[in-house]
Amino acid sequence: MTFDRSLKIAPSILSADFADFGREIRAIEDQGADWVHVDVMDGHFVPNLTFGPPAVKAFRRHVTTVMDVHLMIAPVDPYIEAYAQAGADILTAHVEAGPHPHRTLQAIRASGMKAGLALNPGTPASAAEPLLDLCDLVCVMTVNPGFGGQSFIHSCVDKVRALRAMIGDRPVHIEIDGGVDPTTAPLVREAGADVLVAGSAVFKGGSVETPEAYGTNMRAIREAVTA
């Protein structure tokens, strides 16, 4: 993975057809996805359950771009090695998930993955500042984590702007997760984000039989940003 700040769209497969993940992953990549975003939830840190390491390992066979795995779990540290073995390229942990985020980020990098740090909507940008030298990505949650299809929290745009100033020339991506669509994407891109996670906004109206809708939806986001 070479670092650049060009716009990247990372469809969240939480919005895909759960019975057909392999074809869904290939479809979004064929239609222009830059990364594939995998939301891992534990029913404890967030009120939902999704994918363990065996599922992520199964997805890996189909991902040819970047597999971006977002852990909405607590604790994180006991599972880092399992997700490394499953093939995650980037592993993101929440700053709120435990008392020792430095140790978590160090362990992620030591396992050979890029290290991401996620911030919930109620967590200020300043929480990331002491950790930026251990980060390859900061994920700004623009909805409360745990469910797809929520409305974008507009106050988070200022947080993105603050993070962009803190990051300076460090090679750290700013990722947006939650409520991304052609209306909100330009706001966060202008504020400094370069990776946009989108679930329902990418998958709506399409299927593995009619994947062209996925491409249309992703182009709509890109065109809104460049307009």
Side-chain angles (χ1 to χ4, degrees):
M1 284 176 59
T2 55
F3 179 83
D4 66 75
R5 296 197 193 282
S6 65
L7 181 71
K8 289 164 279 293
I9 295 181
S12 168
I13 61 168
L14 198 62
S15 295
D17 178 354
F18 275 35
D20 213 351
F21 277 124
R23 287 205 299 163
E24 288 276 48
I25 289 166
R26 293 194 298 274
I28 56 173
E29 289 193 337
D30 289 347
Q31 291 294 324
D34 300 289
W35 295 4
V36 174
H37 189 81
V38 181
D39 287 305
V40 174
M41 305 181 189
D42 64 357
H44 162 70
F45 182 69
V46 293
N48 223 328
L49 273 171
T50 58
F51 314 116
V56 174
K57 185 175 183 180
F59 303 155
R60 177 76 260 182
R61 296 199 307 271
H62 304 280
V63 177
T64 64
T65 54
V66 171
M67 189 161 68
D68 171 33
V69 178
H70 177 191
L71 298 184
M72 288 170 268
I73 70 174
V76 172
D77 295 8
Y79 301 98
I80 290 170
E81 192 54 41
Y83 284 99
Q85 294 295 322
D89 294 304
I90 304 167
L91 195 68
T92 297
H94 274 257
V95 71
E96 307 88 359
H100 308 297
H102 285 88
R103 181 182 298 160
T104 298
L105 294 167
Q106 289 166 338
I108 291 170
R109 283 185 163 184
S111 294
M113 298 173 287
K114 300 287 187 185
L117 183 74
L119 307 179
N120 281 337
T123 300
S126 57
E129 193 162 17
L131 300 159
L132 288 175
D133 289 329
L134 289 169
C135 292
D136 300 290
L137 176 148
V138 177
C139 174
V140 178
M141 293 300 301
T142 44
V143 300
N144 285 292
F147 298 98
Q150 297 182 69
S151 297
F152 183 87
I153 299 173
H154 281 267
S155 59
C156 295
V157 176
D158 288 338
K159 187 192 298 189
V160 176
R161 199 168 279 112
L163 280 166
R164 186 67 199 85
M166 280 178 205
I167 288 167
D169 59 2
R170 294 178 178 95
V172 179
H173 297 289
I174 297 178
E175 178 175 79
I176 304 300
D177 189 352
V180 170
D181 61 25
T183 306
T184 57
L187 305 176
V188 291
R189 178 60 168 166
E190 184 275 328
D194 61 290
V195 184
L196 305 182
V197 176
S200 47
V202 167
F203 285 94
K204 69 180 180 186
S207 68
V208 289
E209 278 75 33
T210 56
E212 300 78 19
Y214 302 161
T216 300
N217 294 337
M218 284 187 269
R219 282 192 298 277
I221 292 170
R222 291 187 202 279
E223 288 165 7
V225 166
T226 55

